[in-house]
Amino acid sequence: MPDITLPDGSRKSFPTAVTVAEVAASIGAGLARAALAVDPKSASAWNNIAVSFMGLNRVDDAFEAAKEAVALDPNMQLAKNNIAWMNQEKAKAKK
């Protein structure tokens, strides 16, 4: 069971073996949600949540978060690119 100490001194435990990507995704989503608590209209935070969900293979949740990012900032090209990526992943999953 991995037990990780983060730079702020907090600890994160996992019940089973995890990859570095899974650790990053779990930390990223938590930090992004904390940012939303401060500013729920943060397109960047919504986009970060979308990417974190993709890391967890939660494509539908990722898509919804990315759409929220674009709704808040229609000029956010990164979120638009992420939506295109998510659509590609959905298409692959259907094959």
Side-chain angles (χ1 to χ4, degrees), residues 50-70:
V51 172
S52 294
F53 278 141
M54 284 301 289
L56 297 170
N57 202 31
R58 292 175 54 183
V59 180
D60 291 335
D61 292 328
F63 190 74
E64 292 304 314
K67 285 192 328 187
E68 183 66 23
V70 173

PDB file of all heavy atoms in Angstrom, residues 50-70:
ATOM      1  N   ALA A  50     -11.096  18.110 -16.074  1.00  0.00           N
ATOM      2  CA  ALA A  50     -11.323  17.288 -17.265  1.00  0.00           C
ATOM      3  C   ALA A  50     -10.122  16.389 -17.550  1.00  0.00           C
ATOM      4  O   ALA A  50     -10.271  15.190 -17.798  1.00  0.00           O
ATOM      5  CB  ALA A  50     -11.611  18.185 -18.473  1.00  0.00           C
ATOM      6  N   VAL A  51      -8.934  16.960 -17.496  1.00  0.00           N
ATOM      7  CA  VAL A  51      -7.725  16.180 -17.762  1.00  0.00           C
ATOM      8  C   VAL A  51      -7.533  15.104 -16.679  1.00  0.00           C
ATOM      9  O   VAL A  51      -7.153  13.966 -16.982  1.00  0.00           O
ATOM     10  CB  VAL A  51      -6.494  17.101 -17.876  1.00  0.00           C
ATOM     11  CG1 VAL A  51      -5.211  16.303 -17.951  1.00  0.00           C
ATOM     12  CG2 VAL A  51      -6.633  18.011 -19.095  1.00  0.00           C
ATOM     13  N   SER A  52      -7.817  15.445 -15.443  1.00  0.00           N
ATOM     14  CA  SER A  52      -7.702  14.463 -14.364  1.00  0.00           C
ATOM     15  C   SER A  52      -8.666  13.305 -14.585  1.00  0.00           C
ATOM     16  O   SER A  52      -8.310  12.142 -14.413  1.00  0.00           O
ATOM     17  CB  SER A  52      -7.979  15.120 -13.009  1.00  0.00           C
ATOM     18  OG  SER A  52      -6.981  16.050 -12.712  1.00  0.00           O
ATOM     19  N   PHE A  53      -9.899  13.622 -14.988  1.00  0.00           N
ATOM     20  CA  PHE A  53     -10.861  12.564 -15.276  1.00  0.00           C
ATOM     21  C   PHE A  53     -10.382  11.682 -16.432  1.00  0.00           C
ATOM     22  O   PHE A  53     -10.570  10.467 -16.404  1.00  0.00           O
ATOM     23  CB  PHE A  53     -12.240  13.137 -15.594  1.00  0.00           C
ATOM     24  CG  PHE A  53     -13.064  13.496 -14.395  1.00  0.00           C
ATOM     25  CD1 PHE A  53     -13.854  14.640 -14.404  1.00  0.00           C
ATOM     26  CD2 PHE A  53     -13.097  12.695 -13.273  1.00  0.00           C
ATOM     27  CE1 PHE A  53     -14.647  14.976 -13.306  1.00  0.00           C
ATOM     28  CE2 PHE A  53     -13.881  13.015 -12.171  1.00  0.00           C
ATOM     29  CZ  PHE A  53     -14.650  14.159 -12.194  1.00  0.00           C
ATOM     30  N   MET A  54      -9.758  12.285 -17.431  1.00  0.00           N
ATOM     31  CA  MET A  54      -9.235  11.477 -18.539  1.00  0.00           C
ATOM     32  C   MET A  54      -8.160  10.522 -18.033  1.00  0.00           C
ATOM     33  O   MET A  54      -8.088   9.376 -18.479  1.00  0.00           O
ATOM     34  CB  MET A  54      -8.686  12.366 -19.656  1.00  0.00           C
ATOM     35  CG  MET A  54      -9.761  13.005 -20.517  1.00  0.00           C
ATOM     36  SD  MET A  54     -10.849  11.827 -21.348  1.00  0.00           S
ATOM     37  CE  MET A  54      -9.743  11.143 -22.568  1.00  0.00           C
ATOM     38  N   GLY A  55      -7.341  10.992 -17.116  1.00  0.00           N
ATOM     39  CA  GLY A  55      -6.311  10.129 -16.538  1.00  0.00           C
ATOM     40  C   GLY A  55      -6.895   8.943 -15.797  1.00  0.00           C
ATOM     41  O   GLY A  55      -6.250   7.908 -15.659  1.00  0.00           O
ATOM     42  N   LEU A  56      -8.117   9.096 -15.336  1.00  0.00           N
ATOM     43  CA  LEU A  56      -8.815   8.009 -14.632  1.00  0.00           C
ATOM     44  C   LEU A  56      -9.747   7.233 -15.565  1.00  0.00           C
ATOM     45  O   LEU A  56     -10.522   6.405 -15.120  1.00  0.00           O
ATOM     46  CB  LEU A  56      -9.618   8.586 -13.458  1.00  0.00           C
ATOM     47  CG  LEU A  56      -8.777   9.251 -12.371  1.00  0.00           C
ATOM     48  CD1 LEU A  56      -9.676   9.989 -11.384  1.00  0.00           C
ATOM     49  CD2 LEU A  56      -7.928   8.223 -11.644  1.00  0.00           C
ATOM     50  N   ASN A  57      -9.672   7.561 -16.867  1.00  0.00           N
ATOM     51  CA  ASN A  57     -10.509   6.929 -17.893  1.00  0.00           C
ATOM     52  C   ASN A  57     -11.996   7.161 -17.654  1.00  0.00           C
ATOM     53  O   ASN A  57     -12.825   6.307 -17.956  1.00  0.00           O
ATOM     54  CB  ASN A  57     -10.197   5.437 -18.025  1.00  0.00           C
ATOM     55  CG  ASN A  57     -10.626   4.899 -19.371  1.00  0.00           C
ATOM     56  OD1 ASN A  57     -10.608   5.620 -20.361  1.00  0.00           O
ATOM     57  ND2 ASN A  57     -11.013   3.647 -19.413  1.00  0.00           N
ATOM     58  N   ARG A  58     -12.315   8.313 -17.106  1.00  0.00           N
ATOM     59  CA  ARG A  58     -13.716   8.706 -16.897  1.00  0.00           C
ATOM     60  C   ARG A  58     -14.059   9.730 -17.969  1.00  0.00           C
ATOM     61  O   ARG A  58     -14.192  10.925 -17.713  1.00  0.00           O
ATOM     62  CB  ARG A  58     -13.898   9.262 -15.491  1.00  0.00           C
ATOM     63  CG  ARG A  58     -13.726   8.182 -14.425  1.00  0.00           C
ATOM     64  CD  ARG A  58     -13.768   8.703 -13.027  1.00  0.00           C
ATOM     65  NE  ARG A  58     -14.955   9.486 -12.734  1.00  0.00           N
ATOM     66  CZ  ARG A  58     -15.180  10.099 -11.569  1.00  0.00           C
ATOM     67  NH1 ARG A  58     -14.293   9.966 -10.585  1.00  0.00           N
ATOM     68  NH2 ARG A  58     -16.259  10.806 -11.368  1.00  0.00           N
ATOM     69  N   VAL A  59     -14.191   9.241 -19.202  1.00  0.00           N
ATOM     70  CA  VAL A  59     -14.311  10.102 -20.376  1.00  0.00           C
ATOM     71  C   VAL A  59     -15.565  10.961 -20.325  1.00  0.00           C
ATOM     72  O   VAL A  59     -15.510  12.154 -20.649  1.00  0.00           O
ATOM     73  CB  VAL A  59     -14.254   9.265 -21.671  1.00  0.00           C
ATOM     74  CG1 VAL A  59     -14.378  10.156 -22.893  1.00  0.00           C
ATOM     75  CG2 VAL A  59     -12.952   8.469 -21.726  1.00  0.00           C
ATOM     76  N   ASP A  60     -16.691  10.409 -19.922  1.00  0.00           N
ATOM     77  CA  ASP A  60     -17.933  11.197 -19.888  1.00  0.00           C
ATOM     78  C   ASP A  60     -17.829  12.351 -18.889  1.00  0.00           C
ATOM     79  O   ASP A  60     -18.235  13.483 -19.193  1.00  0.00           O
ATOM     80  CB  ASP A  60     -19.134  10.314 -19.565  1.00  0.00           C
ATOM     81  CG  ASP A  60     -19.460   9.340 -20.694  1.00  0.00           C
ATOM     82  OD1 ASP A  60     -19.113   9.642 -21.855  1.00  0.00           O
ATOM     83  OD2 ASP A  60     -20.053   8.286 -20.416  1.00  0.00           O
ATOM     84  N   ASP A  61     -17.262  12.076 -17.710  1.00  0.00           N
ATOM     85  CA  ASP A  61     -17.072  13.142 -16.722  1.00  0.00           C
ATOM     86  C   ASP A  61     -16.085  14.189 -17.243  1.00  0.00           C
ATOM     87  O   ASP A  61     -16.266  15.390 -17.050  1.00  0.00           O
ATOM     88  CB  ASP A  61     -16.556  12.566 -15.401  1.00  0.00           C
ATOM     89  CG  ASP A  61     -17.593  11.702 -14.696  1.00  0.00           C
ATOM     90  OD1 ASP A  61     -18.798  11.997 -14.821  1.00  0.00           O
ATOM     91  OD2 ASP A  61     -17.180  10.745 -14.028  1.00  0.00           O
ATOM     92  N   ALA A  62     -15.039  13.714 -17.906  1.00  0.00           N
ATOM     93  CA  ALA A  62     -14.038  14.625 -18.472  1.00  0.00           C
ATOM     94  C   ALA A  62     -14.674  15.546 -19.497  1.00  0.00           C
ATOM     95  O   ALA A  62     -14.421  16.751 -19.514  1.00  0.00           O
ATOM     96  CB  ALA A  62     -12.905  13.824 -19.111  1.00  0.00           C
ATOM     97  N   PHE A  63     -15.507  14.969 -20.347  1.00  0.00           N
ATOM     98  CA  PHE A  63     -16.167  15.741 -21.394  1.00  0.00           C
ATOM     99  C   PHE A  63     -17.040  16.842 -20.796  1.00  0.00           C
ATOM    100  O   PHE A  63     -17.005  17.990 -21.250  1.00  0.00           O
ATOM    101  CB  PHE A  63     -16.991  14.795 -22.274  1.00  0.00           C
ATOM    102  CG  PHE A  63     -17.530  15.438 -23.514  1.00  0.00           C
ATOM    103  CD1 PHE A  63     -16.695  15.725 -24.584  1.00  0.00           C
ATOM    104  CD2 PHE A  63     -18.872  15.756 -23.613  1.00  0.00           C
ATOM    105  CE1 PHE A  63     -17.193  16.324 -25.727  1.00  0.00           C
ATOM    106  CE2 PHE A  63     -19.375  16.354 -24.748  1.00  0.00           C
ATOM    107  CZ  PHE A  63     -18.538  16.638 -25.824  1.00  0.00           C
ATOM    108  N   GLU A  64     -17.798  16.509 -19.759  1.00  0.00           N
ATOM    109  CA  GLU A  64     -18.663  17.508 -19.115  1.00  0.00           C
ATOM    110  C   GLU A  64     -17.838  18.645 -18.496  1.00  0.00           C
ATOM    111  O   GLU A  64     -18.201  19.817 -18.602  1.00  0.00           O
ATOM    112  CB  GLU A  64     -19.556  16.852 -18.066  1.00  0.00           C
ATOM    113  CG  GLU A  64     -20.609  15.931 -18.651  1.00  0.00           C
ATOM    114  CD  GLU A  64     -21.506  16.625 -19.676  1.00  0.00           C
ATOM    115  OE1 GLU A  64     -21.970  17.750 -19.405  1.00  0.00           O
ATOM    116  OE2 GLU A  64     -21.731  16.042 -20.746  1.00  0.00           O
ATOM    117  N   ALA A  65     -16.738  18.300 -17.855  1.00  0.00           N
ATOM    118  CA  ALA A  65     -15.888  19.328 -17.245  1.00  0.00           C
ATOM    119  C   ALA A  65     -15.249  20.216 -18.308  1.00  0.00           C
ATOM    120  O   ALA A  65     -15.175  21.440 -18.142  1.00  0.00           O
ATOM    121  CB  ALA A  65     -14.807  18.676 -16.375  1.00  0.00           C
ATOM    122  N   ALA A  66     -14.806  19.616 -19.408  1.00  0.00           N
ATOM    123  CA  ALA A  66     -14.203  20.411 -20.495  1.00  0.00           C
ATOM    124  C   ALA A  66     -15.240  21.327 -21.138  1.00  0.00           C
ATOM    125  O   ALA A  66     -14.932  22.477 -21.484  1.00  0.00           O
ATOM    126  CB  ALA A  66     -13.576  19.491 -21.532  1.00  0.00           C
ATOM    127  N   LYS A  67     -16.469  20.829 -21.299  1.00  0.00           N
ATOM    128  CA  LYS A  67     -17.531  21.688 -21.846  1.00  0.00           C
ATOM    129  C   LYS A  67     -17.791  22.883 -20.931  1.00  0.00           C
ATOM    130  O   LYS A  67     -18.025  23.997 -21.410  1.00  0.00           O
ATOM    131  CB  LYS A  67     -18.818  20.891 -22.046  1.00  0.00           C
ATOM    132  CG  LYS A  67     -18.781  19.972 -23.231  1.00  0.00           C
ATOM    133  CD  LYS A  67     -20.116  19.373 -23.635  1.00  0.00           C
ATOM    134  CE  LYS A  67     -21.092  19.116 -22.558  1.00  0.00           C
ATOM    135  NZ  LYS A  67     -22.296  18.383 -22.959  1.00  0.00           N
ATOM    136  N   GLU A  68     -17.729  22.659 -19.621  1.00  0.00           N
ATOM    137  CA  GLU A  68     -17.914  23.756 -18.670  1.00  0.00           C
ATOM    138  C   GLU A  68     -16.788  24.778 -18.825  1.00  0.00           C
ATOM    139  O   GLU A  68     -17.022  25.981 -18.777  1.00  0.00           O
ATOM    140  CB  GLU A  68     -17.958  23.220 -17.239  1.00  0.00           C
ATOM    141  CG  GLU A  68     -18.225  24.281 -16.193  1.00  0.00           C
ATOM    142  CD  GLU A  68     -19.609  24.904 -16.286  1.00  0.00           C
ATOM    143  OE1 GLU A  68     -20.538  24.285 -16.832  1.00  0.00           O
ATOM    144  OE2 GLU A  68     -19.767  26.049 -15.802  1.00  0.00           O
ATOM    145  N   ALA A  69     -15.562  24.305 -19.023  1.00  0.00           N
ATOM    146  CA  ALA A  69     -14.426  25.214 -19.217  1.00  0.00           C
ATOM    147  C   ALA A  69     -14.650  26.100 -20.444  1.00  0.00           C
ATOM    148  O   ALA A  69     -14.441  27.316 -20.390  1.00  0.00           O
ATOM    149  CB  ALA A  69     -13.128  24.428 -19.362  1.00  0.00           C
ATOM    150  N   VAL A  70     -15.108  25.496 -21.539  1.00  0.00           N
ATOM    151  CA  VAL A  70     -15.347  26.264 -22.770  1.00  0.00           C
ATOM    152  C   VAL A  70     -16.528  27.212 -22.599  1.00  0.00           C
ATOM    153  O   VAL A  70     -16.507  28.333 -23.100  1.00  0.00           O
ATOM    154  CB  VAL A  70     -15.549  25.319 -23.982  1.00  0.00           C
ATOM    155  CG1 VAL A  70     -15.978  26.097 -25.221  1.00  0.00           C
ATOM    156  CG2 VAL A  70     -14.265  24.549 -24.262  1.00  0.00           C
TER     157      VAL A  70
END
